[in-house]
């Protein structure tokens, strides 16, 4: 007869939990009621009509958010269950929040980078560290790696990998074979980051290795985990198999990184000549920081591969697409490259700065097709953004895909016009 007492208690508890959760969602709705945004699809789930097309595969999230900004202005709000999504397209706010280290990267966004299906992935590397004090210390050590002087020393890697790409494409250039240039650029940037970052000897332009396969699988899984929020607990066998494949791919990446790091530490102990690459910065970070574990070094290894490879490959792919769609621009780029590079076998660092028009083309491509469509920061204090009061505890998303397509900031924003960066009005 015990159940006669237990059952009502369980039911009562369940009702109280649901009521408590509903009250919390209501509180969130009230807290942000002053912000514009589309109508919710449901009280509990949140969502909006704008997002339906993403589910059907007709729009990307970036495009859906862009459409919402077109309709509602510089600030939009949405909810997913109790979580708020506030996107802002305001350059002043972007400058204030992104250039001030005290605004942290919000954990609920970046934990999707730290772990994928429970497996440590980018961990607590530069991209996904949400503790501002730790991030700042690590960033100071890495700052020289982002400096021009450091890149100047890597010209031989860029030249060598580019030669390999040309060789790779020449073999296929029989006038019949179709080549995915997106794939080819992915090979190129993988080769560059492998060599410039970690002195990896493998030729990754020509060869598909278990490492290159694992990289693709792991990053696709990270992205799917963000898009399909219930995938991590989907009980279907196919979902279980997918999660297991993703975890194994990440383990392979991290094990490769660990082996390279241990070997470098060993070489250092033996007083061998060490290459000047990103790995040297990682080892230096470990020396400066006490208690910096191998796991944390592996975090940085995976982070630099992740941050540097697909982003640059996508920029190259989109640039080519824009050039294909704009023959006049292509003609000018070719003229400039012919004048500055001509028959030269090896490019000098100084040559790059001379290709001013190409630089405008890259900027214009980044404006229309940013490889990362946005980023987010956490407000630990109240702030007015684009005329709206933002309460403490708000996570602000900067959707640069939408900001750089807004008429408020760019004339004829959808036109591919590299020269706009030379004109004052669009600066
Ligand atoms: C076109 C190419 C690239 C684009 C569009 C791009 C874009 C970005 C963006 C938007 C962020 C800020 C992320 C955030 O705050 O959430 C970021 C951070 C970062 N990127 Fe890149 N990136 C590119 C290339 C690279 C390359 C080549 C490397 C390294 C070899 C790299 C390494 C990093 C690192 C380590 C961070 C974290 C910096 C920090 O928070 O201290 N990126 N990148």
């Amino acid at each position: 007869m015990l159940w006669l007492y237990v059952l009502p208690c369980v039911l009562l508890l369940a009702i109280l939990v649901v009521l408590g959760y509903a009250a919390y969602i209501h509180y969130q709705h009230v807290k942000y009621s002053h912000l514009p945004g589309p109508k919710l699809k449901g009280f509990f789930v949140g969502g909006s009509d704008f997002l339906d097309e993403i589910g059907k595969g007709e729009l990307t999230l970036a495009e859906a958010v862009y459409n919402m900004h077109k309709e509602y202005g510089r600030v939009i709000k949405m909810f997913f269950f109790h979580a708020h999504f506030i996107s802002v397209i305001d350059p002043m706010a972007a400058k204030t929040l992104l250039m001030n280290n005290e605004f942290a990267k919000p954990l609920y966004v970046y934990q999707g980078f730290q772990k994928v299906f429970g497996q440590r992935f980018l961990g607590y590397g530069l991209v996904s560290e949400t503790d501002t004090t730790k991030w700042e210390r690590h960033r100071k050590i890495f700052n020289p790696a982002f400096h021009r002087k450091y890149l100047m020393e890597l010209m031989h890697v860029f030249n060598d990998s580019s030669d390999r790409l040309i060789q790779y494409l020449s073999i296929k250039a029989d006038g019949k074979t179709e080549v995915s240039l997106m794939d080819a650029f992915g090979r190129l940037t993988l080769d560059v980051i492998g060599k410039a970052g970690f002195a990896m000897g493998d030729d990754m332009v020509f060869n598909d290795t278990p490492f290159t396969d694992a990289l693709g699988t792991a990053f696709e899984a990270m992205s799917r985990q963000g898009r399909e929020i219930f995938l991590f607990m989907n009980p279907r066998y196919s979902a279980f198999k997918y999660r297991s494949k993703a975890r194994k791919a990440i383990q392979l990446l991290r094990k490769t990184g660990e082996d390279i790091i241990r070997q470098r530490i060993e070489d250092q102990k033996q007083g061998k000549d060490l290459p000047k690459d990103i790995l040297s910065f990682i080892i230096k970070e470990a020396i400066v920081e006490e208690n910096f574990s191998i796991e944390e070094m592996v975090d940085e290894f995976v982070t630099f591969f992740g941050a540097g490879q697909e982003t640059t490959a996508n920029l190259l792919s989109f640039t080519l697409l824009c050039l294909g769609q704009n023959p006049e621009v292509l003609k000018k780029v070719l003229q400039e490259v012919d004048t500055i590079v001509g028959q030269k076998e090896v490019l000098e660092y100084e040559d790059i700065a001379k290709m001013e028009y190409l630089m405008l083309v890259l900027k214009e491509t980044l404006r229309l097709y940013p490889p990362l469509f946005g980023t987010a920061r956490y407000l630990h204090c109240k702030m007015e953004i684009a005329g709206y009061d933002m309460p403490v505890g708000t996570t602000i998303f900067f959707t640069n895909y939408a900001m750089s397509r807004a008429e408020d900031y760019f004339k004829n924003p959808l036109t591919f016009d590299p020269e706009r960066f030379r004109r004052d009005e669009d600066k």
Side-chain angles (χ1 to χ4, degrees), residues 21-258:
Y21 188 53
Y24 182 66
I25 293 180
H26 178 66
Y27 163 72
Q28 289 293 324
H29 289 178
V30 172
K31 187 172 170 185
Y32 294 106
S33 57
H34 60 298
L35 302 181
K39 208 169 149 264
L40 296 180
K41 293 271 288 191
F43 173 80
F44 276 101
V45 289
S48 83
D49 285 341
F50 283 83
L51 299 178
D52 287 355
E53 282 153 284
I54 303 176
K56 290 183 219 148
E58 284 162 13
L59 281 189
T60 61
L61 178 59
E63 287 164 328
V65 175
Y66 165 65
N67 287 343
M68 281 186 249
H69 277 293
K70 274 212 307 200
E71 181 132 354
Y72 296 98
R74 294 185 187 189
V75 172
I76 55 148
K77 69 140 186 249
M78 266 191 307
F79 289 94
F80 299 102
F81 295 92
H82 60 277
H84 62 270
F85 173 89
I86 292 171
S87 172
V88 163
I89 54 166
D90 183 80
M92 281 319 289
K95 191 172 172 182
T96 310
L97 266 73
L98 297 179
M99 293 188 72
N100 189 337
N101 295 348
E102 67 191 59
F103 295 102
K105 296 176 180 180
L107 183 65
Y108 97 82
V109 177
Y110 285 85
Q111 65 192 1
F113 298 90
Q114 293 171 349
K115 287 185 182 172
V116 172
F117 305 132
Q119 169 68 51
R120 185 163 172 160
F121 188 27
L122 305 192
Y124 306 92
L126 267 189
V127 166
S128 46
E129 176 58 81
T130 54
D131 179 323
T132 45
T133 317
K134 281 191 191 160
W135 172 85
E136 228 172 286
R137 276 209 311 263
H138 290 196
R139 179 60 203 234
K140 266 193 193 133
I141 297 167
F142 277 99
N143 270 343
F146 291 95
H147 198 274
R148 198 172 350 123
K149 264 201 261 167
Y150 176 64
L151 294 176
M152 286 164 89
E153 292 175 22
L154 293 171
M155 282 307 290
H156 66 283
V157 174
F158 304 146
N159 273 297
D160 182 58
S161 298
S162 306
D163 284 346
R164 264 177 231 276
L165 176 72
I166 291 168
Q167 243 180 306
Y168 174 82
L169 293 176
S170 304
I171 294 168
K172 296 180 182 273
D174 58 5
K176 286 179 247 152
T177 311
E178 273 191 22
V179 178
S180 158
L181 283 165
M182 200 170 151
D183 170 71
F185 289 141
R187 289 166 182 275
L188 169 75
T189 57
L190 194 60
D191 202 55
V192 170
I193 188 84
K195 293 199 173 103
F198 307 98
M200 287 167 82
D202 304 341
D203 171 0
M204 291 193 264
V205 173
F206 281 96
N207 299 315
D208 293 322
T209 64
F211 180 81
T212 55
D213 289 347
L215 204 63
T217 306
F219 279 98
E220 198 226 43
M222 187 174 87
S223 157
R224 267 190 79 180
Q225 175 185 253
R227 288 195 315 266
E228 300 168 40
I229 51 172
F230 295 114
L231 183 59
F232 81 101
M233 56 190 225
N234 186 332
R236 284 206 184 132
Y237 181 62
S238 57
F240 169 80
K241 249 175 62 180
Y242 181 72
R243 291 193 295 263
S244 160
K245 187 178 151 195
R247 282 193 205 102
K248 282 195 185 121
I250 295 171
Q251 283 158 9
L252 190 143
L253 293 182
R254 292 188 64 94
K255 178 78 179 67
T256 310
E258 187 180 332

Side-chain angles (χ1 to χ4, degrees), residues 98 105 110 113 125-129 135 139 142-143 145-146 193 278 300 303-316 366 370-377 400:
L98 297 179
K105 296 176 180 180
Y110 285 85
F113 298 90
L126 267 189
V127 166
S128 46
E129 176 58 81
W135 172 85
R139 179 60 203 234
F142 277 99
N143 270 343
F146 291 95
I193 188 84
I278 292 168
E300 300 294 11
T303 292
F304 271 84
F305 254 105
Q309 195 252 329
E310 210 188 350
T311 43
T312 40
N314 284 353
L315 169 59
L316 292 173
L366 280 171
L372 290 182
F373 81 87
T375 183
R377 290 297 182 267
N400 47 297

